[in-house]
Amino acid sequence: MVFVAVLIIFPVAWTGYLSLTDAEGSVRAESEFIGFQNYLDVLADTDRFWPAVWRTVAFTGVVLLFEIVLGMAIALLLWRPFRGERWVRVAILLPLVATPVAVGMMWRLIFDPNIGMANQLLGWIGIGPQPWLSGQHSALPTTMFIDIWQWTPMVVLILLAGLTSLSDEPQEAARIDGASTWQRFRHVTLPLLMPTVIVAILLRGIDALKTFDILYATKGRGGGSFHEVETLNVYAYGLSFDYNDYGVSSTVLIIFFLIIIGVMWALTYRKKGLDR
């Protein structure tokens, strides 16, 4: 526990210290303590910081909604035994095998506006080519789709584990009382499964907030020419390694860290309330 605590405390403390300085060029270069000036500058930045916050929230909210809904639907389909279920489960888990960078590069080729398979398939059904990742307004929804494709199986695993641990007695009692399939799901299965759903939301929500690899693999520096997929992670990375502005990037990371802590606390508090 001490070892893990040191691994967490030292980087956070060092980043917090850099956020209070004007460190730039090199972390070993001399820097001046400027207090909370970086925080005031970042919070007043309406060109890059607040749009990055909006994209981070939008990306997390959309992918989380779709992954929970699709994950629940697929988990319910796999809940009861059927012929070939082993092969179906293996097929569903295949997206988790590849690394996010490899997945991003694969979908970058598929969505290529000139040679990509996606536009070829649309052409077969009479739909014109779409910009996908190259479009200023379509890039963010496209990266959301890629994230949903890769990480929905993780939600399926979590929810399926929760479903298999549920007792059959409430289901049988509801069935005997004449409850329909939807009524059994809404009034029996979902309330009993809600603590597991909160766990899935907690794990995937935090992970989605920190998404970087898929975004960087598909759009590169700055989240694209118009920063169309620039989330807080991508923004902080660019400040650090493209502009070497370590003081401001550390400030962004500390603010981002506090946001994640707040989300974790809210979801954990909600889960404890459900457990009671």
Side-chain angles (χ1 to χ4, degrees):
M1 291 179 63
V2 172
F3 178 71
V4 173
V6 171
L7 286 179
I8 296 174
I9 293 173
F10 174 75
V12 173
W14 179 249
T15 304
Y17 166 74
L18 287 178
S19 71
L20 301 175
T21 69
D22 61 353
E24 60 180 352
S26 172
V27 292
R28 295 182 178 273
E30 292 187 5
S31 57
E32 182 180 351
F33 184 83
I34 59 174
F36 292 97
Q37 186 60 47
N38 284 334
Y39 289 88
L40 297 176
D41 294 340
V42 167
L43 293 176
D45 180 11
T46 57
D47 294 329
R48 297 284 294 277
F49 175 74
W50 286 110
V53 171
W54 177 86
R55 292 187 201 98
T56 303
V57 173
F59 182 91
T60 303
V62 171
V63 302
L64 193 58
L65 174 63
F66 277 89
E67 287 169 7
I68 293 298
V69 173
L70 291 175
M72 177 67 75
I74 297 172
L76 289 172
L77 290 174
L78 299 178
W79 186 15
R80 302 304 181 188
F82 58 91
R83 176 178 289 184
E85 64 173 321
R86 181 178 303 176
W87 298 106
V88 172
R89 293 187 181 188
V90 170
I92 290 175
L93 297 179
L94 282 179
L96 292 177
V97 176
T99 62
V101 172
V103 169
M105 296 303 295
M106 177 190 72
W107 282 102
R108 184 175 179 179
L109 291 174
I110 294 174
F111 286 128
D112 186 279
N114 299 314
I115 62 173
M117 186 185 300
N119 278 339
Q120 293 181 10
L121 293 176
L122 291 180
W124 292 347
I125 58 177
I127 300 178
Q130 303 297 318
W132 303 114
L133 290 168
S134 60
Q136 185 175 352
H137 301 293
S138 61
L140 186 60
T142 304
T143 55
M144 291 176 181
F145 168 81
I146 297 172
D147 188 271
I148 293 168
W149 178 85
Q150 181 171 28
W151 294 111
T152 297
M154 175 183 173
V155 179
V156 173
L157 281 178
I158 297 173
L159 297 183
L160 188 58
L163 286 171
T164 55
S165 67
L166 297 181
S167 174
D168 290 333
E169 294 179 359
Q171 294 285 341
E172 292 297 332
R175 188 178 293 109
I176 293 173
D177 289 340
S180 64
T181 302
W182 168 250
Q183 290 174 329
R184 293 199 303 272
F185 169 75
R186 181 181 177 184
H187 299 290
V188 179
T189 304
L190 188 58
L192 293 174
L193 192 64
M194 190 54 66
T196 305
V197 174
I198 296 297
V199 170
I201 294 174
L202 180 65
L203 294 177
R204 270 308 299 148
I206 294 172
D207 204 29
L209 276 172
K210 301 182 300 173
T211 299
F212 171 82
D213 30 27
I214 288 179
L215 302 178
Y216 198 82
T218 53
K219 294 297 295 181
R221 291 183 176 183
S225 303
F226 299 96
H227 312 296
E228 52 265 32
V229 300
E230 185 180 63
T231 60
L232 285 175
N233 250 349
V234 178
Y235 179 46
Y237 180 88
L239 288 172
S240 296
F241 298 102
D242 295 336
Y243 301 104
N244 296 329
D245 197 344
Y246 298 109
V248 177
S249 66
S250 298
T251 302
V252 173
L253 289 174
I254 289 297
I255 294 174
F256 193 23
F257 176 74
L258 294 177
I259 292 174
I260 294 175
I261 292 296
V263 172
M264 288 179 58
W265 179 84
L267 290 176
T268 304
Y269 181 80
R270 173 63 176 166
K271 183 178 182 298
K272 288 182 178 178
L274 290 172
D275 291 339
R276 294 194 190 100

